[in-house]
Amino acid sequence: MQTMDSFNFAGKKAFVRVDFNVPLDENFHITDDTRIRAAVPTLKKILRDGGSVIIGSHLGRPKGATDKFSLRHILPRVSELLGVDVQFAGDCIGSETEAKAAALRPGEALLLENLRFYAEEEGKPRGLAENATEEETASAKKAVKETQKEFTKKLASYADVYVNDAFGTAHRAHASTALIADHFDAEHKLFGYLLQNEITAVEKVMKDTERPFTAIMGGSKVSSKIEIIRNLLDKVDNLILAGGMTYTFAKAFGGNIGDSIVENDKLDLARELVEMAKEKGVNLVLATDAKIADSFSNDAKTNFASVKEIPNGWEGLDIGPESEKLFTEVIRNSKTILWNGPVGVFEFDNFDRGSRAVSDAIVEATRKGAFSLVGGGDSVACVNKFGHADQVSYVSTGGGALLEMIEGKVLPGIKAIRGY
Ligand code: AMP
């Protein structure tokens, strides 16, 4: 299989699928350009080799072509970061775009308009009436799948080689993230640096695991993490479950959790997961104490309590000192660490101590040689808040894509290129 380093792009046109789905403010200024910067090494290498790039991305969730979601808003920043005047195609398909792509010379770049302006990108029908019958829905789906083939072929026709560097959408079987790869032979489709780095990091954790392997799963709800927890129970030595889900577990075992966040329909599941951990010999570590608050606010009155003895009118918003000791000791002695989800409401400064302690322990273990992967929205925000992003082994850029990989799923965007 070709890699970014093995492939010589000289004289070649590359279609590069990136994830430039960046946040914009009301004046269309980019508020965080991390995703653009993440794709720069791939794009620059192609241009440096003497190739040209056709850049494809989505932005937001448009229902059709609309200026609000136009990629032209980000064109100046893309040009600035690439150090070339990037051209723009105001439509991702059509004869004008074809001509622009055909005229690209070595070292030149063309940014296509938002791929999701076409329903064919996602392959989902649009504008279906809410009361559409099953038959109507099925026929609309079939119709868009048919036109999707043509759309995909057109995108592929611009280039000699396909590069996927969009980890954020690798779990989607869309035209430009997966289907397009069928139009290129094995020697002419490859992962960009970012996507390759993400795959390498996840596989280092999930497949070439050095033990002990500890996963820390936090966040607000157990329901959104069930599949991941199940899959992790087959892989980890230690599983720290924290954050809001603590209280579902505490209640499931007869605890008094006051007004803490809880999923009452998941109490059986909590008991089942504890049993599963026992059967599989996994050391399941749950918080024993909490920093409690008399309201969900940074300025609430606070106290400490056992997670099973929280008075009514109070709720657990962070772990307490005993849990902090328990968690950090396990983390410090680990060789592989996966962190997804804060252990408390880290957005409030008065309740970020637990997450900070976890982050500190991960940094310390990493310094001693452990491999640490931090990923999934909020834990990334955590390491950024604590200034630890460059002191862990890898910070993933993927939300859903990362979680699906940890769940053990094969991602369409990855399979389309390497076959598995
Ligand atoms: P998730 O998106 O499920 O990973 O959840 C992340 C959110 O969980 C963050 O915004 C945290 O503030 C929140 N969270 C963590 N611990 C708690 C808690 N004890 N009570 C309520 N929310 C929490």
Side-chain angles (χ1 to χ4, degrees):
M1 209 185 109
Q2 292 281 1
T3 65
M4 280 304 294
D5 289 328
S6 70
F7 198 92
N8 183 356
F9 290 90
K12 300 267 191 276
K13 288 196 169 77
F15 182 99
V16 187
R17 177 52 157 106
V18 295
D19 179 4
F20 283 175
N21 183 27
V22 289
L24 301 173
D25 66 16
E26 63 280 10
N27 299 315
F28 301 111
H29 293 135
I30 301 168
T31 54
D32 180 354
D33 65 0
T34 310
R35 286 183 172 152
I36 304 179
R37 281 188 283 109
V40 165
T42 294
L43 297 169
K44 275 200 167 164
K45 143 80 176 162
I46 299 171
L47 299 176
R48 236 189 359 253
D49 272 4
S52 51
V53 286
I54 296 123
I55 308 169
S57 178
H58 72 285
L59 177 69
R61 297 181 172 200
K63 297 272 179 291
T66 140
D67 187 60
K68 182 172 173 211
F69 295 113
S70 172
L71 280 167
R72 81 181 168 78
H73 301 304
I74 71 163
L75 185 66
R77 187 71 184 129
V78 177
S79 292
E80 195 180 326
L81 287 169
L82 285 185
V84 294
D85 257 334
V86 178
Q87 300 168 41
F88 187 64
D91 190 344
C92 64
I93 54 171
S95 51
E96 237 178 81
T97 304
E98 251 173 70
K100 279 189 179 169
L104 282 179
R105 284 174 311 198
E108 291 186 341
L110 173 69
L111 175 66
L112 302 182
E113 182 55 289
N114 197 338
L115 297 162
R116 287 195 189 165
F117 281 181
Y118 286 87
E120 283 78 5
E121 166 63 358
E122 294 176 90
K124 281 191 277 188
R126 284 195 184 140
L128 254 181
E130 256 179 46
N131 56 359
T133 61
E134 253 178 57
E135 222 170 88
E136 283 165 343
T137 311
S139 113
K141 271 190 191 158
K142 197 165 164 236
V144 78
K145 288 281 174 208
E146 275 306 314
T147 49
Q148 189 181 40
K149 285 186 193 147
E150 271 312 300
F151 177 79
T152 311
K153 210 165 137 189
K154 275 187 201 149
L155 294 180
S157 72
Y158 305 148
D160 308 299
V161 51
Y162 169 65
V163 178
N164 189 353
D165 211 19
F167 183 57
T169 47
H171 57 317
R172 307 282 184 219
H174 293 167
S176 69
T177 62
L179 309 183
I180 190 173
D182 287 345
H183 295 272
F184 298 86
D185 65 30
E187 290 302 301
H188 292 86
K189 50 185 164 191
L190 54 146
F191 299 127
Y193 287 120
L194 171 69
L195 184 44
Q196 183 59 62
N197 288 342
E198 296 276 356
I199 296 170
T200 306
V202 174
E203 292 189 341
K204 201 162 161 49
V205 167
M206 303 300 285
K207 289 192 178 152
D208 315 318
T209 325
E210 248 197 274
R211 298 194 175 275
F213 174 13
T214 298
I216 307 122
M217 302 294 299
S220 53
K221 293 175 175 171
V222 65
S223 54
S224 57
K225 312 253 157 126
I226 298 170
E227 290 315 316
I228 299 176
I229 294 173
R230 284 217 174 101
N231 194 37
L232 284 174
L233 282 173
D234 284 324
K235 317 246 180 217
V236 298
D237 302 291
N238 308 298
L239 179 59
I240 298 176
L241 290 184
M245 61 181 124
T246 305
Y247 308 98
T248 299
F249 282 87
K251 184 163 179 182
F253 290 93
N256 222 323
I257 58 163
D259 295 351
S260 304
I261 186 170
V262 64
E263 289 174 284
N264 283 315
D265 58 338
K266 294 290 176 291
L267 301 178
D268 284 340
L269 174 76
R271 286 185 282 262
E272 191 193 312
L273 290 174
V274 170
E275 268 318 299
M276 270 173 77
K278 260 189 217 148
E279 273 166 31
K280 293 178 189 286
V282 170
N283 176 31
L284 180 65
V285 190
L286 290 159
T288 53
D289 61 345
K291 183 171 185 183
I292 58 174
D294 67 350
S295 70
F296 189 83
S297 100
N298 188 47
D299 306 319
K301 242 197 258 160
T302 63
N303 208 339
F304 293 97
S306 150
V307 295
K308 292 188 172 168
E309 289 164 15
I310 301 177
N312 291 341
W314 292 74
E315 57 191 302
L317 295 188
D318 196 8
I319 54 173
E322 197 179 281
S323 312
E324 183 180 313
K325 194 154 172 269
L326 218 61
F327 289 5
T328 52
E329 250 172 45
V330 171
I331 295 168
R332 278 199 205 99
N333 292 315
S334 304
K335 281 268 171 262
T336 302
I337 302 163
L338 170 70
W339 184 21
N340 170 261
V343 303
V345 185
F346 78 102
E347 298 94 332
F348 297 155
D349 289 348
N350 290 334
F351 300 94
D352 73 0
R353 183 186 157 130
S355 300
R356 190 183 292 270
V358 163
S359 194
D360 276 333
I362 295 175
V363 167
E364 197 184 317
T366 310
R367 217 175 276 138
K368 286 192 301 185
F371 184 83
S372 52
L373 168 61
V374 179
D378 278 318
S379 20
V380 176
C382 255
V383 287
N384 285 332
K385 176 173 179 181
F386 308 140
H388 289 161
D390 56 355
Q391 296 175 63
V392 298
S393 309
Y394 195 76
V395 178
S396 175
T397 59
L402 175 76
L403 299 185
E404 287 199 16
M405 269 187 106
I406 301 170
E407 280 173 21
K409 289 188 184 150
V410 176
L411 306 194
I414 295 176
K415 188 168 181 214
I417 285 178
R418 71 176 185 187
Y420 62 95

